[in-house]
């Protein structure tokens, strides 16, 4: 979906459910078409935002949402993660607010990111920093590949 010069590409549950009803051969074709669609969209985008789910952090050992507030003190209070995310705590009980968010911050600071973070950072540094030689080289390479494989259609 184009949003001005920004772009959002969704290839999640809806794409998966569409593909699951297809034959293996058609699934492969569907996947190839979706990859070409994503390549065209990325090629034409001014910005790329990579949004991941909780599993990306969980792969580094961080708790997922359902487990963050799964501790005896919060059970005793009868609160869930969603309850603790309510900003009312800063006014109603600053100790709970700072304890909860301080613990989350400390967990993130102590956790060693998995290799995926380095991979994404290297993509950013290599291809998406505005007006770098690498970005210009990637743009040229993508245009060449797109033309060669007729991904973009007529240029």
């Amino acid at each position: 979906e184009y949003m001005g010069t920004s772009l959002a590409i969704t290839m999640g549950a809806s794409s998966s459910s569409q593909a699951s009803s297809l034959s293996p051969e058609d699934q492969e074709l569907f996947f190839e078409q979706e990859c070409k669609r994503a390549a065209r969209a990325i090629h034409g985008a001014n910005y790329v935002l990579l949004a991941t789910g909780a599993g990306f952090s969980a792969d580094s050992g961080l708790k997922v949402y359902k487990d963050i507030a799964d501790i005896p003190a919060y059970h005793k209070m009868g609160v869930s993660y969603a309850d603790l995310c309510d900003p009312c705590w800063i006014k109603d009980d600053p100790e709970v607010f700072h304890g909860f968010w301080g613990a989350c911050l400390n967990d993130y600071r102590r956790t060693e990111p998995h290799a995926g973070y380095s991979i994404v950072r290297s993509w950013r540094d290599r291809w998406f920093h505005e007006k770098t030689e690498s970005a210009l080289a990637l743009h040229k390479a993508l245009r060449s590949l797109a033309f060669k494989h007729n991904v973009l259609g007529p240029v």
Side-chain angles (χ1 to χ4, degrees), residues 1-3 6-12 14-15 33-45 47-51:
E1 166 186 336
Y2 286 93
M3 300 175 294
S6 301
L7 168 74
I9 302 172
T10 55
M11 294 177 66
S14 62
S15 293
Q33 289 170 341
E34 288 294 288
C35 287
K36 285 181 180 179
R37 182 175 71 89
R40 283 192 304 269
I42 291 168
H43 174 75
Y47 302 96
V48 175
L49 170 66
L50 175 64

Side-chain angles (χ1 to χ4, degrees), residues 47-68:
Y47 302 96
V48 175
L49 170 66
L50 175 64
T52 66
F56 202 72
S57 298
D59 285 346
S60 292
L62 289 166
K63 294 177 182 174
V64 293
Y65 302 123
K66 71 177 186 66
D67 298 329
I68 292 173

Side-chain angles (χ1 to χ4, degrees), residues 92-123:
D92 297 346
D93 195 334
E95 189 175 323
V96 170
F97 176 86
H98 291 291
F100 175 72
W101 289 108
C104 289
L105 177 62
N106 288 336
D107 287 345
Y108 278 92
R109 285 180 171 167
R110 284 191 298 260
T111 301
E112 183 71 29
H114 63 73
Y117 287 89
S118 296
I119 292 168
V120 171
R121 188 178 305 109
S122 74
W123 292 347

Side-chain angles (χ1 to χ4, degrees), residues 73-88:
Y74 297 137
H75 291 178
K76 187 175 178 181
M77 291 172 60
V79 296
S80 68
Y81 173 76
D83 297 326
L84 292 163
C85 288
D86 189 324
C88 73

